[in-house]
Amino acid sequence: MSVTKLAFVGAGNMNSAIIEGLLNAGDTPSSISVSNRSAPKLERLSKLGVATHINNVDACDQADIIVLGVKPSQILDVCREIRTTAARSGALVLSVAAGVTIAQLEQVLGKETPIVRAMPNTPSTVGAGAAGLFANAAVSEKGRTDAQRVLEGCGIATWVESEELIDAVIAVAGSAPAYFFYILEALVEEGINLGLAPEQAQTLAVQTCFGAAKLCQNAETDLATLRNKVTSPGGTTQAALTTFKELDLQGTIKAGMRAAVARAREMAQENG
Ligand SMILES: NC(=O)c1ccc[n+]([C@@H]2O[C@H](COP(=O)([O-])OP(=O)(O)OC[C@H]3O[C@@H](n4cnc5c(N)ncnc54)[C@H](OP(=O)(O)O)[C@@H]3O)[C@@H](O)[C@H]2O)c1
């Protein structure tokens, strides 16, 4: 992304994760500017060498891509603020907000503005993000490539066929790091209850999560086969899995994912 100028509006969790991921991957800080309505979060980013602004329009001036990373309830106001600047430069607007539709963004920015909706996640900070993307009709092939490169600078990125599928990406990837942290919290807590030292329990649980993910990435077999390889009949793993099945752990996880999708749709209605 060395020649593409990127502006980030909002210096919160998600935008900071993308910025740090891009810098860790070797992007030049001088190609990145970022704005936030309050100063403290900008100070840290400023130390990384990116240009920081309190004024959103100043940050977006001359940007090729403007990444909007404010809360869904704040994003349309930000669009109103930057629309003239974006129109003048022809910048592509990339929104990472959950529950704000392309139609809602077009209502403020105009249908002629190239807009990409992206649903990334915070492992972007360590170059291990996973994002889904969807573009409006105004996005050119070059715009698609540029938007994809922003997200691929800090992980993987995949285009979805319809905008509704962004909600599915929220359930599977955007919100999902928190599911894994939640499960890890349980593993660590019970490890401690069973007598392990807290640090030991955390190190073992996190490394196991990492190792399991790596096995899945490298495996030529499906997930159930990988699970079966750890599950000897009548053994300890089977005892644990039988309990999970009796308590319908998978059903619970799927219900949580449907709740995430329902909330994204509700948020879109709230943005009306
Ligand atoms: N967090 C995730 O895992 C995740 C994953 C996928 C997508 N997203 C999406 O990413 C977006 C941001 O989420 P987040 O978790 O990063 O939230 P966050 O940490 O609260 O960040 C939002 C940032 O926007 C700033 N801001 C608010 N209004 C502004 C304005 N008018 N002008 C400039 N800056 C403004 C806030 O500044 P202050 O510091 O002054 O409040 C804050 O730093 C959301 O739309 C969310 O749906 C998040």
Side-chain angles (χ1 to χ4, degrees):
M1 296 301 301
S2 51
V3 289
T4 305
K5 285 203 177 321
L6 300 175
F8 290 81
V9 178
N13 296 317
M14 196 57 246
N15 264 2
S16 294
I18 299 173
I19 294 169
E20 285 172 41
L22 288 169
L23 293 176
N24 288 338
D27 257 43
T28 41
S30 59
S31 65
I32 297 176
S33 64
V34 54
S35 60
N36 201 72
R37 64 180 174 187
S38 59
K41 288 175 189 159
L42 292 175
E43 280 164 23
R44 205 174 49 84
L45 291 169
S46 172
K47 286 188 188 129
L48 301 177
V50 305
T52 58
H53 304 267
I54 288 286
N55 184 297
N56 294 331
V57 173
D58 288 348
C60 296
D61 193 32
Q62 312 208 345
D64 299 303
I65 299 184
I66 299 171
V67 184
L68 301 179
V70 298
K71 291 285 186 203
S73 59
Q74 301 157 333
I75 199 166
L76 296 179
D77 282 341
V78 167
C79 287
R80 281 180 201 100
E81 215 180 318
I82 57 110
R83 70 180 151 196
T84 310
T85 313
R88 196 177 48 234
S89 61
L92 183 146
V93 175
L94 194 158
S95 161
V96 302
V100 182
T101 64
I102 295 256
Q104 289 165 339
L105 295 166
E106 282 177 341
Q107 241 172 21
V108 180
L109 296 168
K111 277 188 190 313
E112 64 291 350
T113 302
I115 300 172
V116 170
R117 259 190 89 183
M119 187 43 54
N121 62 17
T122 53
S124 301
T125 321
V126 290
L133 300 162
F134 184 79
N136 77 346
V139 177
S140 63
E141 268 314 305
K142 179 179 180 308
R144 286 173 76 92
T145 307
D146 287 347
Q148 186 167 343
R149 284 173 63 199
V150 171
L151 276 316
E152 279 183 347
C154 46
I156 63 145
T158 177
W159 292 92
V160 292
E161 276 180 19
S162 67
E163 190 177 358
E164 297 82 73
L165 289 175
I166 287 288
D167 292 342
V169 177
I170 291 175
V172 175
S175 296
Y179 318 159
F180 291 106
F181 300 141
Y182 191 63
I183 290 167
L184 279 168
E185 285 173 61
L187 289 180
V188 173
E189 260 177 51
E190 198 53 23
I192 295 168
N193 289 342
L194 292 166
L196 292 172
E199 259 185 51
Q200 222 173 15
Q202 174 140 345
T203 307
L204 288 167
V206 171
Q207 176 66 14
T208 302
C209 185
F210 177 70
K214 245 186 148 159
L215 266 183
C216 297
Q217 272 189 328
N218 298 337
E220 280 157 19
T221 52
D222 58 21
L223 297 174
T225 307
L226 284 174
R227 172 167 50 76
N228 287 333
K229 281 189 182 175
V230 197
T231 317
S232 315
T236 57
T237 311
Q238 194 180 47
L241 289 173
T242 301
T243 306
F244 293 155
K245 280 180 192 167
E246 278 166 12
L247 297 173
D248 196 18
L249 180 61
Q250 286 199 340
T252 305
I253 292 168
K254 289 175 191 171
M257 292 170 72
R258 288 194 295 274
V261 169
R263 181 62 194 134
R265 291 181 183 156
E266 229 171 62
M267 282 158 64
Q269 303 251 312
E270 285 163 13
N271 281 317

